[in-house]
């Protein structure tokens, strides 16, 4: 059993569901302390984080990752217990195998081999580890980054170990992520009997044209490596469940995954204009006036790493290992890279295949773990020697 696989299995055995760390960080800290890293444990609220650094010189390369995992779901649907790692048919099964305990193990073993060859690198290496990535993410990486900025520690290059690949290891390198903007619309009508519609105001009927306009709107045409901004309705709730009652209210939850081609303010203003226009047309057509409440929650801003030293080193290391250059992508959901990139750091994401993340029987190919470790080592070698 190679060292990367052995460490990944040790991490999976710890049931670290957000925000619990379950001892994962102490396992990593022990390995890093042996190497000579200075470790600072950082607890914010109920979340454990740590910052570990080897060396004081610039430039600073940081690995970023999380020890927390999502809940396993129905245990009887797992082929093997989710926190009892099992190797079967060349795959390592367990919650967190791909997202992202396999990456954490690969980071550690990559650094161990790199420092054995280069005990005095050109610059410094750091680890920024949290147990609050899969949850609301308010006491994790974002707080550590604030703490680092107060101390004047500046990350130049950051590699986030999120599972990035689609079909083959190294086929995708994330160089950015779209922003995420959530909205909640409550349209207020008047409840009544379906036999007396003139005595009620049906918010579902008023919403029809608005929904069509929101879905058909072209918000932008994309930007650099970003696809066009997308609008999706995630929940639509109305009614009492009875067949003879006109609902009084309608609640719609929706989300924008947006590129740098459009601002948060523009999305908010255009959404409100579509709603106002739709309700005005409804008033002209039926004489009914509807009121509404519209709330917003920004989950994360988009970030984008321009071609530079980090992207070049990662592409070169991937091509040397796999024989093929990766696709440079900004697809997928949000990641903690959104907290690190605004500091001016170059940020990329590179990890194993993402096909089974957050699923029953999450797994990673055993061979990919050691190869991922070599990829990480190759990036370090290209940047710090």
């Amino acid at each position: 059993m190679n060292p990367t696989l052995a460490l990944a299995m040790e991490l999976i055995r710890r049931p670290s569901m957000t925000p619990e760390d379950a001892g994962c960080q102490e396992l990593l800290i022990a390995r890093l302390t042996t190497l000579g890293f200075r470790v600072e444990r950082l607890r914010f609220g109920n979340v454990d984080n740590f910052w570990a650094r080897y060396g004081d010189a610039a430039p600073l390369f940081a690995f970023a990752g999380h020890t927390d995992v999502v809940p396993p779901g129905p245990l009887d649907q797992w082929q093997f217990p989710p926190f009892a790692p099992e190797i079967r048919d060349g795959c390592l099964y367990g919650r967190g195998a791909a997202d992202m305990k396999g990456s954490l193990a690969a980071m550690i073993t990559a650094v161990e081999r790199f420092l054995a060859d280069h005990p005095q690198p050109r610059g410094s290496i750091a680890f920024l580890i949290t147990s609050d990535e899969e949850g609301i993410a308010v006491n994790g990486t974002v707080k550590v980054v604030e703490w680092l900025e107060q101390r004047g520690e500046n990350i130049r290059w950051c590699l986030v170990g999120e599972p990035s690949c689609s079909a083959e290891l190294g086929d995708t390198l994330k160089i950015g992520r779209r922003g995420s903007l959530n909205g909640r619309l409550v349209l207020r009508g008047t409840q009544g009997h379906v036999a007396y519609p003139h005595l009620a105001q049906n918010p579902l009927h008023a919403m029809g044209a608005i929904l069509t306009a929101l879905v058909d709107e072209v918000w932008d045409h994309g930007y650099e490596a970003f696809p066009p901004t997308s609008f999706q309705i995630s929940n639509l709730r109305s009614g009492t469940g009875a067949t003879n009652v006109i609902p009084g209210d309608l609640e719609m939850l929706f989300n924008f995954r947006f590129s740098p081609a459009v601002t948060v303010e523009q999305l908010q203003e255009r959404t409100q204009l579509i709603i106002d226009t739709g309700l005005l047309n409804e008033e002209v057509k039926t004489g009914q006036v509807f009121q509404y409440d519209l709330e917003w929650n920004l989950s994360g801003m988009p970030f984008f790493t321009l071609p530079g030293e980090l992207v070049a080193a990662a592409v070169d290391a991937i091509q040397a290992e796999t024989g093929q250059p990766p696709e440079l992508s900004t697809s997928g959901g949000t990641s903690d890279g959104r907290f690190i990139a605004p500091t001016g750091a170059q940020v990329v994401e590179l990890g194993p295949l993402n096909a089974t993340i957050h699923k029953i029987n999450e797994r990673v190919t055993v061979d990919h773990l050691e190869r991922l470790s070599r990829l990480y080592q190759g990036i370090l070698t290209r940047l710090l020697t």
Side-chain angles (χ1 to χ4, degrees), residues 5 7-17 24 66-75 77-103 134 163 352-366 369:
L5 175 60
L7 179 54
M9 294 178 72
E10 283 299 310
L11 290 168
I12 292 170
R13 288 190 182 98
R14 290 157 169 78
S16 54
M17 289 177 286
C24 291
H66 61 90
T67 55
D68 59 316
V69 298
V70 296
L75 298 180
Q77 295 183 22
W78 282 76
Q79 186 175 354
F80 311 105
F83 298 110
E86 182 78 20
I87 299 172
R88 189 65 58 91
D89 299 324
C91 291
L92 171 62
Y93 285 76
R95 175 58 85 219
D99 189 13
M100 56 177 288
K101 292 181 176 181
S103 296
E134 298 289 9
L353 273 62
N354 55 26
T356 64
I357 61 174
H358 293 207
K359 292 184 178 181
I360 303 293
N361 293 323
E362 179 180 351
R363 58 196 178 274
V364 63
T365 303
V366 168
L369 291 175

Side-chain angles (χ1 to χ4, degrees), residues 94-170:
R95 175 58 85 219
D99 189 13
M100 56 177 288
K101 292 181 176 181
S103 296
L104 293 175
M107 292 173 184
I108 294 291
T109 57
V111 170
E112 288 174 339
R113 289 196 308 272
F114 174 77
L115 290 178
D117 294 337
H118 308 283
Q120 295 183 315
R122 183 186 70 87
S124 303
I125 306 172
F127 280 76
L128 193 169
I129 306 298
T130 183
S131 60
D132 185 38
E133 196 273 347
E134 298 289 9
I136 57 176
V138 297
N139 286 313
T141 299
V142 63
K143 288 288 181 65
V144 179
V145 168
E146 291 172 358
W147 177 82
L148 288 172
E149 289 188 301
Q150 291 170 2
R151 286 163 48 119
E153 288 196 69
N154 300 310
I155 299 172
R156 181 165 177 175
W157 305 304
C158 182
L159 191 153
V160 184
E162 289 292 340
S164 61
C165 300
S166 300
E168 299 291 340
L169 182 68

Side-chain angles (χ1 to χ4, degrees), residues 168-372:
E168 299 291 340
L169 182 68
D171 65 8
T172 306
L173 178 71
K174 297 290 179 69
I175 58 172
R177 293 276 188 154
R178 295 172 295 174
S180 178
L181 176 65
N182 302 295
R184 176 178 179 265
L185 170 67
V186 178
L187 184 59
R188 307 197 182 283
T190 302
Q191 184 174 299
H193 196 293
V194 295
Y196 303 96
H198 60 289
L199 300 178
Q201 291 177 285
N202 194 327
L204 280 167
H205 291 186
M207 195 65 187
I210 295 172
L211 283 177
T212 299
L214 288 170
V215 171
D216 290 346
E217 180 76 0
V218 177
W219 303 95
D220 63 46
H221 296 283
Y223 175 87
E224 297 286 345
F226 288 84
T229 293
S230 66
F231 168 86
Q232 287 294 320
I233 299 166
S234 54
N235 282 276
L236 194 64
R237 293 191 287 266
S238 189
T240 65
T243 60
N244 60 350
V245 178
I246 294 171
D249 298 317
L250 177 149
E251 180 189 51
M252 182 177 77
L253 305 181
F254 58 95
N255 176 268
F256 289 101
R257 291 300 166 103
F258 64 99
S259 78
V262 65
T263 67
V264 171
E265 293 74 20
Q266 288 171 336
L267 291 174
Q268 292 172 334
E269 291 168 2
R270 288 165 65 183
T271 301
Q272 187 154 353
L273 178 60
I274 289 172
I275 295 170
D276 289 340
T277 301
L279 293 181
L280 180 60
N281 291 338
E282 184 71 14
E283 182 181 354
V284 171
K285 183 173 67 175
T286 67
Q288 295 183 332
V289 179
F290 289 84
Q291 304 297 320
Y292 70 89
D293 297 318
L294 182 59
E295 301 171 359
W296 297 98
N297 175 47
L298 179 63
S299 299
M301 291 292 292
F303 70 90
F304 180 53
T305 296
L306 292 167
E309 305 146 321
L310 179 57
V311 172
V315 169
D316 193 46
I318 291 169
Q319 189 155 4
E321 174 66 28
T322 68
Q324 297 291 331
E327 175 189 356
L328 304 182
S329 171
T330 61
S331 64
T334 59
S335 78
D336 275 1
R338 69 190 189 274
F339 303 126
I340 301 167
T343 68
Q346 299 175 37
V347 179
V348 298
E349 299 176 25
L350 177 61
L353 273 62
N354 55 26
T356 64
I357 61 174
H358 293 207
K359 292 184 178 181
I360 303 293
N361 293 323
E362 179 180 351
R363 58 196 178 274
V364 63
T365 303
V366 168
D367 175 62
H368 286 182
L369 291 175
E370 192 62 21
R371 293 180 65 200
L372 182 63

